[in-house]
Amino acid sequence: MSIGRDQVLHVARLAELAVREEELDRLVSQLNRIVDYVAQLDQVPADRMTDPFLPGPPAVALRDDVPDPVPLAQPPASFAPEFRDGFFLVPRHGAMEES
Amino acid sequence: VSVAAAIATQTGARLAAGEPLNATLHWSQALLDAEAARVDAAASPGPLAAMPIAVKDNIVTVEQPTTCASRILEGYVSPYTATAVNRLRAAGAMVAAKTNMDEFAMGSSTEHSAFGRVRNPVDAERVPGGSSGGSAALVAAGVVPAALGSETGGSVRQPASFCGVVGLKPSYGRVSRYGLVAFGSSLDCISVFSRNIEDAGRVLSVMSGHDPLDATTVDRPPMALPAPRADLQGLRIGLPREYYPPDLHGGVAAALRRTREAVERLGGKVCEVSLPHSPYAVPTYYIVAPAEAAANLARYDGVRYGPRKVGPGADIHALYQATRGEGFGAEVRRRILVGTYVLSAGYYDAYYRKAQQVRALIAEDFRQVFASGVDLLLTPTTPTPAFKAGEKTEDPVAMYLADIFVCAISLAGLPAVSLPVGRSEGLPVGAQLIAPYFEDERLLAAAAAIEAAVAADSEVR
């Protein structure tokens, strides 16, 4: 299967990733190389397929659902790009404006 | 001057002398001295008293920045410290430095760092392996006796092999990942570099154990220090034939023959076994890991961390796309795109679901071999010794194949260790020992016996 320029741009939009025009051809060729390589899993016979595997504990042990204050050594204002009155400041969300 | 203060001064001098390796991202003599003062003030010295340990820069500490070697986290300082680091400190260890790495732990050569490549201390023209190349280089150069790295698909064992040190990946769920920046959540393990097996065991025993702050840690007691073994009597060691291909590098093959002979001299019974789905490990890994990475790295959006770029349009999508487009390096962007692609509508079943099913077959191969009476597996860690910088940067798949012998173990969640077993034209060669799930103690006990029986610094023929 071959991935074209439009498909790379579509996936980049889904991933919220700006892609520069001058890097696009190289990305198309590298992604095709990777996707062609991983496609060899098609050689594994379908009748061998079982349930997906995840390592780790058989069941996730949940803590009691009691909210505790989160002890932070640094306040959010120190690492957020913009922070005011307890809020993270971001540009307007265009889609919300339209609805 | 206390012992801890003297070691802090000496470590600072070694870090300064090691700067040409480009292995560190953040360290200061003032922080080292503060670590020594903390050790001196402790009520009891602890099992790792005054041991300087370097920490990969994707493990958070409040004293230094945590950048994951990425522009997108430049200057970021975590508001909390990782459980693994807190446990090491409680045992008396001193955090010496934060180490350089492939950006977000994606790479096999530590060439994909936003802050420049790391040099292999054995040969500066060659890569130290990756992604934990900075930690590996510091231990190999004798700057620190131990360092933390992280493994997603071999990122400690592979650089350990390239640099000639011990690299220990514990069982998945053995060590808390609270404070390890997430890459592939079903794979990530904090792991250890050291100069010898005994130190790796000491560090792991202190770090291991259940953590209420990480629901994926297994609720079992910390690993006990393994009782040293003088021999391998009574142990069956399997050699999986898929890990000894006919075109294996001659020096690697010779070093592994020598290791096999050492195992037999020690009384271990060697047998050939098969892990038939091994050839699918790298392609499986390069679906599962990018998919999980694409999800985990969605949080770096210019809102909550690091520098923010405002793109054309000035709405929130422009901010996300510009921040991420400029903040992530080439390999991270490639993997995010691959991960997003394999998870996108119409492709999920063909790629991600299938990869998780093949992953089950890979794990089942190991389970069956161990159930057949094999106690441990012995393989090469890498198909070749360290390659030259720039050799594989143009072809991502060629780079991925550097992990061909390490990533199946990560997919299966098993413990494994790479130990140096010889040199080929001066370059270190590592052997990998693999144990069943949660048999980390058995792994280390046998590895110590092999370590004592092979001349790791001597040339193989």
Side-chain angles (χ1 to χ4, degrees):
Chain A
M1 186 185 309
S2 181
I3 305 176
R5 288 166 67 95
D6 288 350
Q7 209 164 4
V8 171
L9 289 172
H10 172 66
V11 170
R13 268 193 304 277
L14 292 177
E16 298 283 12
L17 206 56
V19 172
R20 292 189 305 275
E21 176 61 32
E22 61 268 25
E23 65 181 341
L24 193 54
D25 285 339
R26 193 152 170 263
L27 261 180
V28 168
S29 117
Q30 289 180 330
L31 292 192
N32 274 301
R33 170 107 171 93
I34 295 168
V35 171
D36 286 348
Y37 174 73
V38 300
Q40 63 181 282
L41 295 193
D42 289 341
Q43 297 162 11
V44 182
D47 61 359
R48 273 198 233 160
M49 294 301 187
T50 55
D51 289 337
F53 168 80
L54 279 176
V60 171
L62 299 177
R63 278 175 283 150
D64 292 337
D65 190 11
V66 181
D68 286 326
V70 179
L72 296 182
Q74 320 275 346
S78 73
F79 56 86
E82 285 180 84
F83 193 81
R84 197 194 304 152
D85 301 333
F87 292 96
F88 295 92
L89 297 193
V90 295
R92 247 172 233 290
H93 198 303
M96 287 173 68
E97 291 289 289
E98 286 159 17
S99 60
Chain B
V1 178
S2 72
V3 171
I7 292 175
T9 303
Q10 182 192 53
T11 303
R14 287 176 178 172
L15 283 163
E19 291 284 4
L21 297 171
N22 197 32
T24 54
L25 292 179
H26 328 287
W27 74 275
S28 74
Q29 191 60 54
L31 282 175
L32 267 166
D33 293 342
E35 291 285 273
R38 189 182 43 74
V39 172
D40 285 334
S44 67
L48 303 180
M51 185 184 205
I53 295 184
V55 175
K56 188 177 181 181
D57 204 32
N58 61 348
I59 299 171
V60 302
T61 53
V62 299
E63 294 82 4
Q64 297 97 342
T66 298
T67 65
C68 297
S70 181
R71 295 279 175 213
I72 213 163
L73 280 175
E74 200 162 7
Y76 173 70
V77 180
S78 165
Y80 66 96
T81 293
T83 296
V85 173
N86 282 333
R87 287 183 177 172
L88 291 178
R89 281 194 172 135
M94 308 192 289
V95 173
K98 299 292 286 291
T99 62
N100 202 354
M101 55 187 280
D102 281 305
E103 184 178 1
F104 282 101
M106 298 179 193
S108 306
S109 64
T110 319
E111 292 171 287
H112 298 305
S113 163
F115 306 109
R117 78 171 181 95
V118 176
R119 273 91 180 147
N120 189 321
V122 181
D123 177 350
E125 298 296 307
R126 290 178 188 267
V127 303
S131 66
S132 313
S135 289
L138 285 186
V139 174
V143 174
V144 287
L148 298 189
S150 68
E151 279 239 8
T152 304
S155 279
V156 163
R157 286 165 287 152
Q158 187 255 22
S161 177
F162 279 10
C163 291
V165 298
V166 168
L168 169 64
K169 174 212 174 292
S171 298
Y172 181 88
R174 183 63 113 163
V175 175
S176 168
R177 301 174 310 168
Y178 182 70
L180 170 66
V181 176
F183 161 14
S185 300
S186 74
L187 298 153
D188 295 340
C189 291
I190 291 181
S191 302
V192 185
F193 292 100
S194 59
R195 305 278 291 178
N196 55 57
I197 296 288
E198 185 188 352
D199 281 350
R202 290 166 67 208
V203 171
L204 176 58
S205 74
V206 163
M207 284 198 303
S208 60
H210 180 245
D211 177 10
L213 297 173
D214 175 2
T216 62
T217 49
V218 176
D219 194 2
R220 292 204 216 171
M223 186 192 77
L225 276 181
R229 292 183 71 111
D231 57 44
L232 299 176
Q233 292 289 347
L235 285 184
R236 282 187 72 194
I237 315 281
L239 309 183
R241 72 172 68 99
E242 293 81 4
Y243 286 69
Y244 295 85
D247 59 349
L248 186 63
H249 181 277
V252 174
L256 266 290
R257 267 198 304 277
R258 198 163 80 172
T259 310
R260 175 203 171 131
E261 287 159 12
V263 165
E264 287 170 332
R265 271 201 314 280
L266 290 164
K269 200 165 158 22
V270 173
C271 55
E272 188 176 291
V273 298
S274 176
L275 300 165
H277 296 94
S278 300
Y280 300 114
V282 176
T284 299
Y285 178 83
Y286 280 96
I287 294 172
V288 173
E292 295 183 5
N296 275 322
L297 271 58
R299 72 191 66 175
Y300 305 106
D301 54 10
V303 174
R304 289 161 290 191
Y305 311 90
R308 170 184 293 177
K309 309 282 185 207
V310 181
D315 74 353
I316 192 118
H317 295 288
L319 180 148
Y320 291 157
Q321 289 168 14
T323 300
R324 291 161 60 79
E326 291 181 40
F328 290 130
E331 178 63 17
V332 174
R333 279 184 293 155
R334 265 197 299 274
R335 294 210 200 179
I336 289 175
L337 291 174
V338 170
T340 306
Y341 176 76
V342 300
L343 291 177
S344 61
Y347 298 103
Y348 177 89
D349 282 343
Y351 291 105
Y352 189 70
R353 184 173 165 73
K354 178 172 272 178
Q356 288 288 48
Q357 290 174 318
V358 177
R359 183 179 185 176
L361 299 174
I362 291 167
E364 179 62 16
D365 282 352
F366 283 105
R367 199 196 63 74
Q368 283 188 10
V369 162
F370 288 127
S372 75
V374 169
D375 298 293
L376 296 163
L377 297 169
L378 174 70
T379 76
T381 309
T382 55
T384 64
F387 49 87
K388 287 198 167 147
E391 205 175 297
K392 298 186 196 285
T393 40
E394 283 307 301
D395 181 359
V397 172
M399 185 73 88
Y400 300 168
L401 289 169
D403 295 332
I404 193 162
F405 297 148
V406 281
C407 74
I409 293 92
S410 297
L411 289 165
L414 302 176
V417 64
S418 176
L419 68 160
V421 290
R423 298 230 169 191
S424 171
E425 296 174 358
L427 299 173
V429 177
Q432 172 174 244
L433 214 51
I434 307 161
Y437 190 56
F438 256 75
E439 295 291 349
D440 307 54
E441 281 172 66
R442 180 199 299 174
L443 176 77
L444 289 167
I450 296 172
E451 177 184 56
V454 295
D457 288 330
S458 77
E459 192 70 19
V460 292
R461 297 178 203 290

